[in-house]
């Protein structure tokens, strides 16, 4: 299907664009009253993720309401460990909890390399439903968590400030850590390939907990597996977003991906120098900017756009939009990107 708006894909590939494309991580979610209305009619978050028609509905809401240049399928990175046999619960105001953690080699043996068509069919169905409903308006982004981040949750059992159990495993039983990372990577590759087959136009890999590892550990336990994923997904552009991994930008320049996501702690000019001219950069506005005045949002957004330049940039926040953000402030950010970009090119 021919896309009516293919700015995101052209920017990712390094092709010329009329203006900078813009979307937001976590754009489908709690900032929108329309999302909350759907969510409150259900038993919980997982019912929404696992019901393709509803997942498609909330995926498309930001396209309709916020006028972003891409949709991202409504799902969660933790569907992968669940598909492998390590189930999670999503507790309101607490986040994910794993009733059974992976702490021993016996625990690893109970897991499986998941078949996406059998164990994650609801995400693939949601992509198909979304693609049909979008009818080529904008690209659809598929995604998965990076293997280290998924291991961190499976071993820790929940979110954590330190992930001391997961990080400790890398020292106490590195062999087991690599065994688990191997299974997660094999599952993730198959899952992302299935997302592309179902209709995803671009893939993003989220390494949410990259920044809690030392550079040495990151290069042993995270980077090689991300590299494998990038090598395996070659028929659509791939974005790697590793929060806090400023120390690995030069390593990312060697990955077989098109776009590197920057968090708000990363300096734009320094990142460009480390990554080089042949990757697109995505980001990297501080989500807290959207708590400020409309004038401040416009000023800081234009400042960011000038620093990135008009090509090889996808405008986004440096992390997911926070749930208590005013949707009107989000619209201000998006419209500023669109109007400034158009004015520069015009």
């Amino acid at each position: 299907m021919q896309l009516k708006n293919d700015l995101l894909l052209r920017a990712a590939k390094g092709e010329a664009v009329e203006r900078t494309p813009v979307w937001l991580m976590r754009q489908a979610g709690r900032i929108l009253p329309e999302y909350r209305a759907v969510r409150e009619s259900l038993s919980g978050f997982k019912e929404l993720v696992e019901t393709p028609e509803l997942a498609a509905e909330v995926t498309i809401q930001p396209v309709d309401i916020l006028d972003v240049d891409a949709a991202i399928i409504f799902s969660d990175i933790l569907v992968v460990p669940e598909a492998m046999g390590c189930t999670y619960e999503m507790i309101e105001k607490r986040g994910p909890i794993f009733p059974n953690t992976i702490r021993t080699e016996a625990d690893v043996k109970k897991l499986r390399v998941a078949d996406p068509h059998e164990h994650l069919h609801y995400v693939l169905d949601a992509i198909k439903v979304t693609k049909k409903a979008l009818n080529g308006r904008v690209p659809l982004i598929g995604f998965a968590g990076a293997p280290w981040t998924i291991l961190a949750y499976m071993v820790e059992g929940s979110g954590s400030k330190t992930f001391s159990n997961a990080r400790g495993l890398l020292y106490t039983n590195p062999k087991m850590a690599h065994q688990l990372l191997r299974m997660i990577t094999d599952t993730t590759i198959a899952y992302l390939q299935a997302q592309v087959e179902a209709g995803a136009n671009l893939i993003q890999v989220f390494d949410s907990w990259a920044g809690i590892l030392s550079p040495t550990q990151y290069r042993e336990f995270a980077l090689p597996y991300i590299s494998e994923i990038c090598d395996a997904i070659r028929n659509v552009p791939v974005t790697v977003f590793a929060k806090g991994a400023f120390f690995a930008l030069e390593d990312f320049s060697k990955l077989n991906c098109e776009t590197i996501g920057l968090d708000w702690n990363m300096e734009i000019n320094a990142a460009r120098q480390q990554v080089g001219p042949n990757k697109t950069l995505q980001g990297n506005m501080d989500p807290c900017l959207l708590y400020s005045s409309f004038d401040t949002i416009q000023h800081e957004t234009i400042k960011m756009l000038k620093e990135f330049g008009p090509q090889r940039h996808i405008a986004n926040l440096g992390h997911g939009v926070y749930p208590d953000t005013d949707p009107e402030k989000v619209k201000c950010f998006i419209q500023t990107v669109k109007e400034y970009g158009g004015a520069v090119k015009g």
Side-chain angles (χ1 to χ4, degrees):
M1 183 185 293
Q2 190 72 30
L3 286 167
K4 299 177 184 74
N5 176 351
D6 65 350
L7 281 170
L8 178 86
L9 300 183
R10 282 191 282 140
K13 294 172 185 174
E15 297 172 9
V17 290
E18 302 79 59
R19 65 167 174 81
T20 302
V22 57
W23 69 282
L24 280 76
M25 291 180 276
R26 292 198 185 135
Q27 63 187 17
R30 293 172 288 177
I31 61 165
L32 298 177
E34 294 84 353
Y35 166 85
R36 291 196 294 271
V38 175
R39 172 74 173 74
E40 285 160 14
S41 68
L42 304 172
S43 62
F45 173 83
K46 287 181 77 173
E47 185 182 354
L48 180 49
V49 167
E50 293 169 8
T51 308
E53 292 73 21
L54 296 178
E57 180 183 344
V58 297
T59 296
I60 294 168
Q61 283 174 349
V63 181
D64 294 336
I65 300 161
L66 303 176
D67 200 24
V68 285
D69 290 314
I72 181 165
I73 196 66
F74 186 83
S75 185
D76 197 277
I77 64 171
L78 300 182
V79 299
V80 164
E82 177 141 278
M84 294 174 65
C86 185
T87 60
Y88 74 101
E89 299 168 5
M90 193 63 78
I91 310 298
E92 197 69 32
K93 296 182 179 173
R94 272 194 67 194
I97 301 290
F98 286 81
N100 298 301
T101 54
I102 307 302
R103 298 285 176 85
T104 68
E105 291 178 28
D107 295 331
V108 174
K109 285 178 182 170
K110 293 175 187 172
L111 299 172
R112 65 188 166 220
V113 172
D115 178 343
H117 299 284
E118 181 179 351
H119 305 117
L120 290 159
H121 57 86
Y122 55 89
V123 180
L124 308 181
D125 291 343
I127 289 172
K128 291 170 187 172
V129 173
T130 303
K131 284 286 286 189
K132 188 174 180 184
L134 280 172
N135 195 29
R137 286 167 64 194
V138 294
L140 178 61
I141 301 167
F143 71 91
W148 154 250
T149 285
I150 298 303
L151 177 146
Y153 278 111
M154 293 171 82
V155 173
E156 204 71 29
S158 66
S160 165
K161 289 181 180 176
T162 62
F163 282 95
S164 54
N165 290 304
R167 286 166 53 217
L169 178 69
L170 308 186
Y171 290 106
T172 59
N173 197 339
K175 181 183 172 188
M176 177 187 144
H178 280 298
Q179 187 182 356
L180 180 52
L181 287 163
R182 174 80 268 139
M183 295 179 75
I184 295 167
T185 302
D186 291 345
T187 296
T188 301
I189 287 171
Y191 176 44
L192 290 175
Q193 288 173 334
Q195 288 189 39
V196 174
E197 288 165 16
N201 300 106
L202 182 144
I203 291 297
Q204 179 152 319
V205 179
F206 287 86
D207 208 358
S208 307
W209 298 111
I212 64 170
L213 291 181
S214 70
T216 301
Q217 284 185 319
Y218 196 76
R219 289 181 182 112
E220 178 178 352
F221 293 99
L223 202 60
Y225 298 101
I226 291 175
S227 182
E228 275 192 54
I229 292 168
C230 292
D231 289 345
I233 311 296
R234 292 318 312 143
N235 40 357
V236 299
V238 176
T239 299
V240 173
F241 174 64
K243 187 174 181 296
F246 61 89
F247 52 79
L249 285 171
E250 199 170 323
D251 298 294
F252 293 151
S253 73
K254 302 179 182 83
L255 291 175
N256 203 359
C257 68
E258 285 67 28
T259 301
I260 305 296
L262 306 182
D263 66 46
W264 72 91
N265 290 313
M266 296 178 181
E267 292 183 306
I268 296 165
N269 289 329
R272 174 52 75 197
Q273 287 175 359
Q274 288 175 281
V275 168
N278 299 321
K279 300 282 188 204
T280 295
L281 297 178
Q282 178 175 278
N284 72 331
M285 188 59 73
D286 185 344
C288 286
L289 172 76
L290 302 182
Y291 293 140
S292 66
S293 68
F294 290 100
D295 285 347
T296 302
I297 292 168
Q298 288 177 328
H299 178 268
E300 291 298 319
T301 300
I302 290 169
K303 182 179 165 188
M304 176 191 77
L305 291 168
K306 284 179 177 175
E307 203 167 343
F308 273 109
Q311 301 297 323
R312 277 217 176 265
H313 177 220
I314 297 166
N316 206 313
L317 302 178
H319 198 227
V321 61
Y322 297 143
D324 59 347
T325 304
D326 178 354
E328 293 305 313
K329 302 286 183 72
V330 176
K331 289 178 188 176
C332 177
F333 173 74
I334 291 163
Q335 286 309 118
T336 302
V337 173
K338 290 186 167 189
E339 289 167 12
Y340 176 80
V344 167
K345 294 304 284 185

